[in-house]
Amino acid sequence: MNIRESIEHTLQCESDIIAELKRTVPEEQIEKVIDVFMNCKGKVVLTGCGTSGIAAQKIAHTLNCVNCPSLFLSPANALHGGMGVVQKGDILVLLSKGGHTSELNQMIEPCRERGAYLMAVTENEDSYIAKECDLVLKIRVNKEP
């Protein structure tokens, strides 16, 4: 496969994944997420490790670009003093594909005690993160482009 074919293949994969998400993510779930964001009294704090962390950073930047105050909080930094940024009225969005990231698990209770609304974005509805958060957005991607 040459570079042009590789680019076209990647773009087609991205397109297929977006179309699949449109079919598989319930509209009620999307409406609930929108409602939570629209009624946020604080800021949106996004966190995740590895690839999920990189995605969380990008989402935080995009939200800021549309005037939704947001930031990325490294789970490692959060567990060593950084959780002070999470306040009552904030939304904490935890991104974890499998939902078993121990650093994220450890953030849940302290952030709940601070008064944050907790939202999990994961493909595993049976995970600790999903069970402990106020809202779960189940996103499943079968193939990474």
Side-chain angles (χ1 to χ4, degrees), residues 25-37:
V25 178
E27 192 171 322
E28 309 80 46
Q29 207 174 24
I30 298 297
E31 289 173 5
K32 179 65 174 166
V33 170
I34 292 168
D35 185 57
V36 168
F37 274 68

Side-chain angles (χ1 to χ4, degrees), residues 43-121:
K43 62 192 164 300
V44 179
V45 179
L46 294 110
T47 190
C49 291
T51 302
S52 295
I54 300 300
Q57 290 176 46
K58 171 61 175 122
I59 294 166
H61 176 75
T62 300
L63 289 172
N64 281 311
C65 289
V66 295
N67 295 318
C68 179
S70 308
L71 62 93
F72 171 75
L73 177 60
S74 159
N77 292 338
L79 298 175
H80 295 281
M83 270 193 268
V85 73
V86 180
Q87 302 293 317
K88 184 176 183 174
D90 289 349
I91 301 168
L92 177 68
V93 182
L94 301 104
L95 283 77
S96 175
K97 183 175 183 176
H100 297 294
T101 307
S102 62
E103 296 89 343
L104 299 182
N105 290 350
Q106 294 174 54
M107 293 175 65
I108 290 173
E109 192 54 37
C111 290
R112 182 180 310 290
E113 290 171 359
R114 293 174 176 276
Y117 184 90
L118 305 177
M119 180 184 304
V121 179

Side-chain angles (χ1 to χ4, degrees), residues 13-14 16-21 23-24 97 123 138-145:
C13 284
E14 293 280 358
D16 293 345
I17 289 167
I18 291 169
E20 180 67 19
L21 288 173
R23 288 189 299 273
T24 60
K97 183 175 183 176
E123 66 179 34
K138 182 181 178 186
I139 301 290
R140 180 164 176 76
V141 175
N142 293 323
K143 181 181 176 186
E144 296 286 340

